[in-house]
Amino acid sequence: MKITACPLDCYDACAVVVDPESLKMTGLPQHPFTRGALCPHLNRHIKEARRITAPRIDGKEVSMEEALEAVAEAIREAGEDFLLYRGSGNVGFMQSVTEHFTAAYGGWTTEGSLCDGAGQAGIEAGRGVSLALPPESIEQADAIIVWGRNVSVTDPHMMELLKNKTLIVIDPVKTKVAKMADLYLQIRPRSDFYLAVLLSRFMFMEDMEDKRFMEERCEDAEWYYDFLRTFRVRVSLEKCDIALDDLGDLLYQMQNKKCVFLVGTGVQKYSIGDQVLHAIDGLAAVLGFFGKPGCGVSFLSDSMAGFESPFDVSPKKVAKPIVPFGRFKTVLVQGANPMAQMPGLKKVEEEMARVENLIYFGLYENETSSRARIVLPAKDFLEKEDLRLSYAHPYVQPMPKIKAAEYGISEYELTKFLFESFGFEGLKEERFYIRSMLDQCIEEGDLLKSPAYDKHPYEEEFDTDSGNFEFLEEFEDDFDDEEDGLWLLTPKSPHSLNSQFRRESHVWLHPSHGFKEDEKVRILSEHGEVELPVRVSEDIRSDSVLIYAGTPGVNYLTPPTKSLMGKSACYQEVKITLERV
Ligand SMILES: Nc1nc2c(c(=O)[nH]1)N[C@H]1C(S)=C(S)[C@@H](COP(=O)(O)OP(=O)(O)OC[C@H]3O[C@@H](n4cnc5c(=O)[nH]c(N)nc54)[C@H](O)[C@@H]3O)O[C@H]1N2
Ligand SMILES: Nc1nc2c(c(=O)[nH]1)N[C@H]1C(S)=C(S)[C@@H](COP(=O)(O)OP(=O)(O)OC[C@H]3O[C@@H](n4cnc5c(=O)[nH]c(N)nc54)[C@H](O)[C@@H]3O)O[C@H]1N2
Ligand code: SF4
Ligand SMILES: [Mo]
């Protein structure tokens, strides 16, 4: 039996036992967080997915040698107009080795994120660095507030830690965990900032704030109450579409309890995403909930925190959600499907049409592979050496090669070929990079932990200039949230992993809109439109529609913009209308 880790972009980063003969995969029972179970993605979906088995140029199958020569030629003729666009199809560390080449060559890559960049920026503004809250700390909480995170779907192993605790859920969709909650607030989308501010203000009014923590560990804490008071209670309640009693219930449920906030990407798919996380962190700081067991805010943490990267990761960069593809002659897409997953898809298609050499390097066919001039099949996670980090727990896991590949190339092999083809020096053996990461880890028996691991993160100090927590001082928002139309929610699907595996193909609507099951509806925004058959659900608010992320066409509706901070996508900063087809 061999032990590896699931390569998929998921909070849980499961440890996996693989039988090298049958390739049957099971969860590793001794893993402290994932404790032996895998989800359907690894149990079933990954095995059903049809791999790309041969390289192609202009639609014609070619040998790997021919394809690699064509890739080198396309990069060479692009000069500086070469872009490497990486996604998160596999989140193994060795995926970034191609950036090492891009830096040596003098090309471009991306910065910012399609995912959690806005939230991370907000956390960094307050705490300096975004560290993971260890599961053993979450375990000790009395109450868990699940805030814009669909735990049972996207973070399934966390469900175990919710047991026997007060459970509060804040989500515009009545999710499975919302149905289990002691208190559920079905708030209006994009109103979480106001809820965090209201709650913080009421903590002061109810004398629930931690005066000592505010005085000793926070910068300029005396101003924060004044800042909170600039938001009028009635207006804020209306924004959130909740009653004063709901707020009272929430305070009552939290009173005298150690609380952990499990915050997901749902709250920050907006231009103001950084300020939402900063305000939620501010609430935790008012309560003194940092550096203590059973308390804290858990968001997608910076998994590279504490590590020194062995790669030169300093190529020139463009903002990921708004990449001007048309500026580049050659674009290498790796582990990504930008022609489905990027916001403002119409613009992306227009830009991509101007790219002379689109190279797709991946496992599966998708919207991007079908438009690529050169297609390179990749090796999958069992066929190459790697390691993975996690954005939700501190464990670092080696991912040894378990089986030989019949086709495809690894990210390291592609990089090695390119270094040789261009006559560049400076690429070390693959082992060197993997070792240099593993050697930086903390050993604990058979387990490896991130060097940034801290049982009680921020117990001593924050990573800000002052060493203290820094509160939000200003609120900036230019989106008109009163604008006519319905909110678009695009959470993650239980059946797909972004655009991999079984993708969804419906829009979910509240019955009040009068549509029938399977009736086709046209959904329009100022950025584009898509037609989908309807699913009717009471779990959605009547002012919102739900289309799962990964549904083909959903991103025609989303804006080609980036967040105010963090260069992150703003998928839900849009109002839509419905038309009968
Ligand atoms: N099955 C599955 N698991 C996945 C993925 C997948 O595609 N499929 N993708 C992985 C990736 S890449 C990521 S980044 C994570 C993300 O996983 P999560 O952080 O769970 O993110 P989402 O599912 O996008 O949204 C979470 C919740 O936010 C709610 N929400 C939407 N808008 C708002 C809002 O304005 N306020 C509040 N309070 N809630 C809101 C949604 O209804 C949803 O229930 O999941 C990972 N895990
Ligand atoms: N509307 C809307 N859109 C969204 C989101 C949303 O919430 N709403 N969520 C966004 C988020 S959080 C994320 S993270 C992005 C994800 O979007 P992407 O980063 O584009 O990821 P995937 O859709 O998973 O596509 C990954 C591709 O990677 C390839 N791949 C898998 N493993 C490997 C490998 O080992 N090597 C190589 N070379 N390729 C491999 C597969 O061929 C697969 O098709 O989507 C974003 N898009
Ligand atoms: S829960 Fe996440 S990490 Fe675990 S097997 Fe499923 S996709 Fe992979
Ligand atoms: Mo993501």
Side-chain angles (χ1 to χ4, degrees):
M1 290 295 174
K2 298 256 185 165
I3 297 174
T4 184
C6 174
L8 299 173
D9 185 350
C10 168
Y11 288 98
D12 295 9
C14 289
V16 183
V17 184
V18 188
D19 179 337
E21 298 301 315
S22 68
L23 299 179
K24 192 175 157 36
M25 295 190 262
T26 47
L28 179 73
Q30 308 86 295
H31 190 271
F33 183 63
T34 62
R35 298 179 198 178
L38 302 176
C39 81
H41 292 311
L42 219 57
N43 279 334
R44 287 200 303 278
H45 304 159
I46 207 165
K47 290 173 208 150
E48 300 164 359
R50 270 197 23 244
R51 299 264 301 269
I52 301 177
T53 56
R56 297 197 298 268
I57 301 177
D58 294 324
K60 233 180 80 230
E61 283 194 13
V62 295
S63 69
M64 185 58 90
E65 290 68 36
E66 280 174 88
L68 288 174
E69 283 305 334
V71 168
E73 184 50 35
I75 295 174
R76 200 169 276 124
E77 72 181 44
E80 278 192 19
D81 297 331
F82 164 61
L83 172 76
L84 167 67
Y85 178 100
R86 293 210 299 113
S88 62
N90 172 326
V91 292
F93 175 72
M94 287 304 289
Q95 288 289 316
S96 38
V97 65
T98 44
E99 283 188 27
H100 197 60
F101 165 75
T102 309
Y105 175 74
W108 294 74
T109 185
T110 60
E111 62 182 345
S113 152
L114 296 189
C115 180
D116 59 344
Q120 179 167 331
I123 288 180
E124 286 169 355
R127 313 184 210 161
V129 61
S130 175
L131 299 177
L133 186 65
E136 61 266 31
S137 193
I138 300 175
E139 177 101 68
Q140 293 178 60
D142 305 314
I144 304 266
I145 297 122
V146 175
W147 201 331
R149 178 142 141 194
N150 194 7
V151 184
S152 73
V153 168
T154 62
D155 186 12
H157 293 81
M158 187 63 85
M159 293 301 282
E160 192 59 33
L161 295 188
L162 304 185
K163 287 187 179 153
N164 305 318
K165 297 182 173 74
T166 301
L167 179 61
I168 300 161
V169 174
I170 305 166
D171 198 305
V173 179
K174 194 164 188 186
T175 56
K176 185 172 163 193
V177 9
K179 290 174 186 165
M180 296 162 48
D182 297 291
L183 178 68
Y184 167 50
L185 295 186
Q186 189 165 28
I187 62 163
R188 178 174 288 141
R190 206 184 184 274
S191 66
D192 305 270
F193 173 82
Y194 293 97
L195 182 60
V197 158
L198 266 177
L199 267 172
S200 306
R201 180 165 174 188
F202 275 71
M203 293 301 169
F204 283 99
M205 286 158 61
E206 298 293 315
D207 235 4
M208 280 164 72
E209 84 274 24
D210 184 335
K211 293 189 181 66
R212 188 149 163 219
F213 185 88
M214 299 255 300
E215 207 168 287
E216 292 175 2
R217 303 290 316 278
C218 301
E219 201 66 8
D220 297 328
E222 61 279 18
W223 300 110
Y224 197 52
Y225 187 56
D226 291 337
F227 170 74
L228 296 173
R229 285 204 317 173
T230 60
F231 300 91
R232 290 174 37 217
V233 174
R234 203 172 50 82
V235 175
S236 299
L237 286 169
E238 274 167 17
K239 293 253 186 216
C240 301
D241 192 22
I242 61 170
L244 194 56
D245 284 352
D246 296 324
L247 206 62
D249 291 346
L250 189 46
L251 244 67
Y252 173 77
Q253 294 286 3
M254 290 174 64
Q255 208 156 25
N256 302 321
K257 286 184 184 150
K258 289 182 286 180
C259 301
V260 162
F261 299 86
L262 295 181
V263 185
T265 59
V267 302
Q268 54 95 68
K269 296 180 190 183
Y270 306 106
S271 61
I272 55 167
D274 67 305
Q275 300 170 85
V276 177
L277 259 298
H278 205 166
I280 294 174
D281 262 9
L283 168 63
V286 165
L287 292 163
F289 281 173
F290 285 106
K292 297 173 190 153
C295 297
V297 179
S298 157
F299 182 64
L300 297 85
S301 68
D302 176 1
S303 56
M304 275 301 282
F307 282 103
E308 203 171 306
S309 175
F311 296 130
D312 177 0
V313 282
S314 59
K316 293 169 284 189
K317 289 177 178 146
V318 286
K320 192 164 186 183
I322 51 165
V323 175
F325 289 106
R327 241 176 62 191
F328 299 95
K329 188 162 182 178
T330 297
V331 175
L332 168 57
V333 169
Q334 172 193 325
N337 184 12
M339 304 201 68
Q341 295 305 100
M342 280 185 62
L345 201 50
K346 203 163 134 236
K347 183 127 188 263
V348 174
E349 288 179 344
E350 287 162 10
E351 289 274 342
M352 277 293 201
R354 301 217 297 273
V355 175
E356 219 164 282
N357 303 302
L358 175 60
I359 306 165
Y360 173 79
F361 176 32
L363 290 181
Y364 315 123
E365 301 289 1
N366 56 33
E367 288 90 335
T368 311
S369 71
S370 67
R371 284 162 165 100
R373 194 171 86 73
I374 307 174
V375 174
L376 281 183
K379 285 185 176 171
D380 80 6
F381 76 112
L382 298 174
E383 299 165 339
K384 57 196 173 196
E385 296 284 327
D386 211 333
L387 74 137
R388 84 159 282 175
L389 315 174
S390 157
Y391 48 78
H393 61 63
Y395 304 103
V396 175
Q397 304 176 84
M399 299 171 71
K401 177 176 162 185
I402 291 175
K403 78 186 217 336
E406 290 166 51
Y407 42 81
I409 184 169
S410 74
E411 288 66 25
Y412 179 81
E413 287 159 344
L414 173 62
T415 306
K416 189 158 188 259
F417 168 83
L418 291 172
F419 263 81
E420 280 165 9
S421 175
F422 284 84
F424 295 158
E425 307 267 318
L427 184 73
K428 301 202 167 63
E429 290 295 306
E430 189 171 28
R431 295 258 83 208
F432 167 85
Y433 297 109
I434 294 174
R435 273 264 57 96
S436 97
M437 287 298 285
L438 296 177
D439 286 348
Q440 294 178 61
C441 295
I442 305 168
E443 270 182 64
E444 214 181 79
D446 287 345
L447 297 168
L448 292 175
K449 284 182 174 173
S450 150
Y453 170 74
D454 197 340
K455 202 158 157 203
H456 307 307
Y458 316 104
E459 190 175 9
E460 301 294 327
E461 59 176 2
F462 291 93
D463 209 40
T464 52
D465 291 342
S466 63
N468 289 332
F469 181 84
E470 300 191 359
F471 285 107
L472 185 64
E473 290 172 358
E474 254 178 319
F475 179 58
E476 184 190 347
D477 185 6
D478 1 302
F479 183 73
D480 176 13
D481 56 5
E482 311 284 328
E483 199 184 307
D484 281 348
L486 302 168
W487 291 104
L488 172 66
L489 304 178
T490 68
K492 304 299 185 185
S493 143
H495 309 112
S496 79
L497 203 293
N498 297 313
S499 74
Q500 304 188 71
F501 316 135
R502 302 183 190 176
R503 294 165 71 177
E504 308 275 355
S505 56
H506 288 85
V507 53
W508 273 256
L509 297 177
H510 189 265
S512 61
H513 297 290
F515 287 91
K516 291 195 275 302
E517 282 280 302
D518 288 323
E519 189 178 346
K520 263 220 158 160
V521 59
R522 185 175 301 129
I523 307 133
L524 304 101
S525 81
E526 61 176 297
H527 312 289
E529 58 180 77
V530 61
E531 278 180 22
L532 294 169
V534 170
R535 287 267 180 273
V536 179
S537 170
E538 297 265 3
D539 296 334
I540 322 278
R541 289 171 56 98
S542 58
D543 65 358
S544 307
V545 310
L546 185 154
I547 306 175
Y548 285 109
T551 303
V554 59
N555 280 318
Y556 287 119
L557 302 171
T558 57
T561 57
K562 63 176 168 56
S563 54
L564 291 170
M565 297 294 287
K567 301 186 172 72
S568 204
C570 310
Y571 294 104
Q572 297 185 170
E573 188 135 294
V574 64
K575 287 286 185 84
I576 59 110
T577 50
L578 303 174
E579 270 180 13
R580 282 213 150 72
V581 181

